[in-house]
Amino acid sequence: MSAQQTQDIAIVGAGVIGLTTAWILCDFGLGPRIKVIAKHTPEDRSVDYTSPWAGANFCSISSGDEKALRWDRITYNRLAYLANTRKESGVVFADLRELWDYDPNLEKIRSWSSYVKDFKTIPKEELPENCLYGHTGTTFLINVPQYLNFIHSILNDSGVTFVKEEIKHINDVLQFVPNPTVVFNCPGVWASTLGGVEDPDVYPTRGHVVCVDAPHIKETRIRNGTNSDTYIIPRPFNGGVVLGGFMQKGNWDREIHPEDTQDILKRTAALMPELFQHQGPEAAKIIYEAVGFRPSRNGGARVELDTLPGTKFPLIHDYGASGTGYQAGYGMAFDSVMLSLPLIKFA
Ligand SMILES: Cc1cc2nc3c(=O)[nH]c(=O)nc-3n(C[C@H](O)[C@H](O)[C@H](O)COP(=O)(O)OP(=O)(O)OC[C@H]3O[C@@H](n4cnc5c(N)ncnc54)[C@H](O)[C@@H]3O)c2cc1C
């Protein structure tokens, strides 16, 4: 049998969601049956490929609905396992300090306090001016390029193959996997335009990050403001410190604007004066800057089995992670794989 004949599982997309889906399938020994079809893979950097631009940390950015909270909890446990046992994954435990200028979602805080290690509410008298709530806890920092390469190399070692192509319509997967048992659809924000899917609820939440050299910073700090969100995310293993940012809904602007850079540097210097050794934003040593589009979706991420009219294969959607692809992605991928298992014949 040729390799093509044995491959009956297709995955569209090689962002953190598609890669994690393939990784879980490999745990069932399915690697040689998987073909990933993706325009971008972990060595690429493009404004159209969101995953490399994430900070990434684990914070309270998720929505407060039951599914999102469950995906966070599952992924927290997985990231803890990686931080404890697989240093090469790029995942480490780290102190988180998160502040709000408005009342946070109580469901989320309740859920978090039940499993986040060392979770503590910050006493009111210790909060900065105009801040209504804050908490600390032990979560994670992820060196994102390292994490993506780590999964990519596990997939290569497990027999997964990659086709670097853009498809126009979901049915185009048949050119690469002629008789799929199942197709996973993980195209990120491009679920809005991919033919046959064209989900009108998907939209970009634009971000802009400034990565600086500041190896003395080890803590991740976030201020959820009424008009802006400011975050400082040190990437472990000398990956720089990622500063942000913006959460601009429906904004497809691909350009970096110098006034936005200055705004990010000013806000992060105020949030953590030691960031630039108390010398202010002028002292920032910028390594790179980037714009990225978080794949957001009205109603939350979509993880479900679908049968499209005219499509001859079971299709499992897994997209719409918005700002949580790293902190919730394992939970999302886990659910999508669980949907597929009854369809797959194990020899
Ligand atoms: C500034 C910023 C900061 C962030 N910080 C964090 C954080 O701290 N923590 C966190 O958890 N998350 C964070 N995120 C969110 C996280 O990056 C996303 O949730 C995640 O990357 C989404 O992954 P994805 O696999 O769905 O999409 P993507 O990474 O965009 O991958 C999509 C894949 O599908 C492929 N594709 C799409 N269309 C087609 C097609 N037609 N044909 C072939 N291939 C196609 C692409 O080439 C790519 O391989 C951040 C995002 C941004 C922008």
Side-chain angles (χ1 to χ4, degrees):
M1 254 190 205
S2 72
Q4 185 157 343
Q5 280 167 315
T6 61
Q7 286 175 325
D8 65 338
I9 301 173
I11 299 178
V12 176
V16 66
I17 300 296
L19 294 175
T20 308
T21 303
W23 189 13
I24 299 174
L25 289 165
C26 287
D27 289 341
F28 290 92
L30 294 167
R33 289 172 60 177
I34 302 172
K35 192 171 267 185
V36 178
I37 301 133
K39 187 174 173 196
H40 305 98
T41 47
E43 66 279 9
D44 295 322
R45 297 292 175 268
S46 159
V47 67
D48 297 327
Y49 182 36
T50 307
S51 290
W53 306 126
N57 70 5
F58 187 107
C59 67
S60 304
I61 191 175
S62 316
S63 63
D65 68 82
E66 207 178 306
K67 273 196 299 191
L69 296 177
R70 182 171 157 277
W71 288 328
D72 271 3
R73 195 174 62 241
I74 293 173
T75 311
Y76 186 95
N77 287 311
R78 177 66 175 186
L79 293 173
Y81 164 78
L82 292 175
N84 276 321
T85 62
R86 304 292 298 268
K87 255 211 158 66
E88 70 277 23
S89 66
V91 181
V92 298
F93 287 107
D95 293 336
L96 169 78
R97 184 178 172 84
E98 208 172 354
L99 304 167
W100 275 262
D101 294 349
Y102 53 90
D103 288 323
N105 179 306
L106 284 183
E107 281 309 314
K108 198 187 305 182
I109 303 302
R110 213 168 284 137
S111 169
W112 258 53
S113 62
S114 71
Y115 67 86
V116 169
K117 243 169 76 167
D118 310 315
F119 180 90
K120 274 195 199 87
T121 304
I122 302 173
K124 284 238 174 312
E125 59 279 12
E126 290 176 24
L127 292 174
E129 209 181 340
N130 297 327
C131 180
L132 295 188
Y133 171 83
H135 61 218
T136 54
T138 301
T139 68
F140 309 96
L141 288 171
I142 304 171
N143 181 314
V144 160
Q146 192 172 330
Y147 186 61
L148 295 174
N149 288 336
F150 168 75
I151 305 176
H152 197 190
S153 75
I154 291 176
L155 301 187
N156 283 329
D157 292 347
S158 306
V160 175
T161 48
F162 288 79
V163 182
K164 227 168 145 137
E165 293 280 351
E166 178 176 6
I167 55 170
K168 299 285 177 217
H169 192 283
I170 192 70
N171 283 341
D172 295 346
V173 293
L174 298 176
Q175 293 167 19
F176 309 103
V177 181
N179 290 304
T181 298
V182 61
V183 175
F184 291 89
N185 182 35
C186 315
V189 75
W190 303 107
S192 56
T193 56
L194 178 60
V197 178
E198 293 156 314
D199 186 335
D201 284 320
V202 172
Y203 61 90
T205 299
R206 181 180 178 273
H208 169 175
V209 288
V210 183
C211 184
V212 297
D213 183 32
H216 55 292
I217 301 302
K218 306 287 178 212
E219 178 192 279
T220 176
R221 197 173 290 183
I222 299 176
R223 183 146 185 174
N224 301 292
T226 41
N227 294 317
S228 60
D229 295 291
T230 306
Y231 54 83
I232 296 162
I233 305 179
R235 272 187 176 166
F237 306 106
N238 303 319
V241 178
V242 175
L243 310 178
F246 293 100
M247 303 283 273
Q248 297 168 326
K249 286 187 176 183
N251 187 334
W252 284 108
D253 185 353
R254 304 162 71 88
E255 302 302 318
I256 290 170
H257 302 287
E259 61 276 20
D260 291 346
T261 309
Q262 289 313 312
D263 183 37
I264 290 171
L265 295 177
K266 222 169 109 189
R267 282 191 273 132
T268 48
L271 181 60
M272 191 187 270
E274 63 272 32
L275 178 61
F276 305 125
Q277 315 274 19
H278 300 271
Q279 291 172 49
E282 300 71 36
K285 294 183 205 141
I286 298 177
I287 305 171
Y288 69 83
E289 291 185 65
V291 161
F293 300 124
R294 298 174 184 88
S296 300
R297 183 170 182 270
N298 295 317
R302 184 178 190 195
V303 179
E304 65 186 31
L305 178 63
D306 193 10
T307 38
L308 291 172
T311 298
K312 296 194 179 69
F313 45 80
L315 181 63
I316 295 179
H317 298 292
D318 192 356
Y319 61 79
S322 193
T324 71
Y326 289 87
Q327 73 168 60
Y330 188 85
M332 288 171 59
F334 177 85
D335 278 0
S336 73
V337 170
M338 289 302 121
L339 290 172
S340 74
L341 291 183
L343 307 168
I344 295 171
K345 276 204 184 104
F346 288 86

